[in-house]
Amino acid sequence: MKRFRCIVCLGLFVSLLFFSFLPTSAQKKTNIIMLLADDAGYHDFGFQGSKTFKTPNLDKLASEGMVFNQAYTTDAVCGPSRAALLTGIYPQRYGIEENNVPGYMSASSKLLGDEMGLPVDIKTVADYLHPLGYQSIILGKWHLGNADRYHPLGRGFDEFYGFRGGARSFFPLSQKEAFTKHDERMEKGFGNFQEPDKYLTDAIADEACDFIERNQKKPFFMYVSFNAVHSPLESKASDLDLFKDLTGERKQLAAMTYAMDRACGKIMDKLKELGLEENSLIVFANDNGGPDGTMTCNYPLSGCKSNYLEGGIRVPCIMKLPSVIKAGSEYTSAVSMLDMLPTFLNTAGGNANKIAGLDGVDLLPYITNKTKTEPHKLLFWKKENRGVVLKGDWKMLRFPDRPAELYNLEKDITESNNLAYKYPEKVREMFKLLWEWESDLERPLWQLKRVYEVNAMKRMDEKRTPVLDK
């Protein structure tokens, strides 16, 4: 009898030892949640220094995770920046340099109308996560092609609750409006058009929480692509009442931002309620700089959406992964939204190093001090004849109609002291780097009409002086 007990105990010990050495893939995988704002101002969050906008949930996320002080999007407008985030590849490599907005494009473009979309041979992060057992959903704005062949459900995502275009009302459309604005219709699944019964930002949060409930036993990837705070500026009366000291567009923006913060908080609360918080990677970022037309505040940066000054391409960014990323920490080196795909893939147990052609890197080794180098030696931006290269603290902007500009961002974050004439050899070096990068790019699939490109340059010149929010 004693011998039998010893054998049983030994067997139990061997079993426990065996299971303790099972590969990570057999253990619970990390959930991945990407929260993306739309057209928000760089300064328009409490954790970014705003004293007028209220963002308690995102401020809490910042205190529990890491804030990136020099996070960049890959373009100064929505479409290309989202393409890069989902693919980990510069969008210029597959011909996307500009928003796919019908009516704004030159007749010489290869693709027009609904056919302007993310090429179907380019894989998304959802495509890579699916074989690893992840359930994926996109909620909100797609903006990577209206035609059915570009639909999210054909791009690796299992579920879609949102709209295919670039902007829409935050309140339900009437049947007539939905019929005439087909790319703005809310869609659940594929072709099941269903307008929300509430303010859209709240509806996105509710759908996100429902998805979490249904998938809490399996790993999931959520791409919560808010259309807040993109125009039209529409908010709930109850949210407006919270900002009695503000007026006009700033008041509308504050209320819309508060609603988005509330939605983020609801999603994070659901993770905590279900015991998923400790095993979830959460990222919050913005798609591009705040636009000049809606009174966003990009302080202390100059520039705005549609141009390549810092206010057009530097974005707020938070990353939280309990027990991995130190709470309340900051990261000061340049990172890119290109880095999201490899970071997500490696976190999920994949190997981004095996994917040829990625421009992003897995950020976790850098931000956890496992490697002492910086994530990127060089970063690039391009739209037609405008181009930018960032190397360390040095940033050069090339234009088709004026001399290049050169700035040292470490000493001059406002880009007010052009050093191009003082350091001509640095300008030549940066030009060469930009030309070498451009030599591998595809020709744009569509291009803006010249008038809109001229307007973008005009807005850049008008936004040279950073202004603090009021």
Side-chain angles (χ1 to χ4, degrees), residues 368-385:
T368 57
N369 293 319
K370 290 182 179 177
T371 177
K372 299 301 181 184
T373 58
E374 296 187 350
H376 296 280
K377 293 181 180 179
L378 297 167
L379 286 173
F380 298 97
W381 293 263
K382 178 185 178 295
K383 190 187 302 293
E384 298 192 15
N385 292 319

Side-chain angles (χ1 to χ4, degrees), residues 51-72:
K51 304 298 182 187
T52 54
F53 281 35
K54 300 175 182 178
T55 54
N57 294 294
L58 291 172
D59 297 349
K60 184 172 184 288
L61 181 66
S63 71
E64 295 172 342
M66 174 177 282
V67 174
F68 293 82
N69 295 328
Q70 197 177 0
Y72 288 104

Side-chain angles (χ1 to χ4, degrees), residues 180-191:
T180 56
K181 301 177 180 180
H182 66 281
D183 60 324
E184 298 180 22
R185 291 178 294 183
M186 287 301 294
E187 190 172 349
K188 196 168 185 177
F190 181 80

Side-chain angles (χ1 to χ4, degrees), residues 281-422:
L281 170 62
I282 305 175
V283 179
F284 172 80
N286 191 31
D287 62 344
N288 46 250
D292 61 332
T294 57
M295 293 294 291
T296 53
C297 177
N298 293 322
Y299 187 85
L301 311 175
S302 59
C304 59
K305 178 181 179 178
S306 84
N307 64 68
Y308 291 141
L309 294 173
E310 291 293 283
I313 55 176
R314 191 184 290 211
V315 294
C317 183
I318 307 168
M319 186 177 287
K320 175 188 173 183
L321 182 56
S323 302
V324 177
I325 298 175
K326 184 180 178 182
S329 57
E330 293 184 352
Y331 192 73
T332 57
S333 297
V335 302
S336 170
M337 291 301 110
L338 291 165
D339 303 328
M340 294 303 109
L341 183 147
T343 301
F344 295 166
L345 183 57
N346 285 1
T347 299
N351 188 347
N353 292 331
K354 291 185 177 180
I355 302 174
L358 289 185
D359 292 304
V361 300
D362 177 5
L363 290 177
L364 289 181
Y366 297 94
I367 64 180
T368 57
N369 293 319
K370 290 182 179 177
T371 177
K372 299 301 181 184
T373 58
E374 296 187 350
H376 296 280
K377 293 181 180 179
L378 297 167
L379 286 173
F380 298 97
W381 293 263
K382 178 185 178 295
K383 190 187 302 293
E384 298 192 15
N385 292 319
R386 283 187 282 155
V388 178
V389 56
L390 179 70
K391 182 182 181 182
D393 296 328
W394 291 97
K395 177 183 176 183
M396 187 202 73
L397 298 92
R398 183 197 67 196
F399 306 101
D401 60 347
R402 64 184 76 181
E405 297 176 10
L406 180 70
Y407 300 101
N408 186 305
L409 296 180
E410 197 269 332
K411 298 177 181 177
D412 179 25
I413 194 175
T414 63
E415 296 172 284
S416 56
N417 184 20
N418 181 9
L419 300 173
Y421 296 103
K422 188 174 181 179

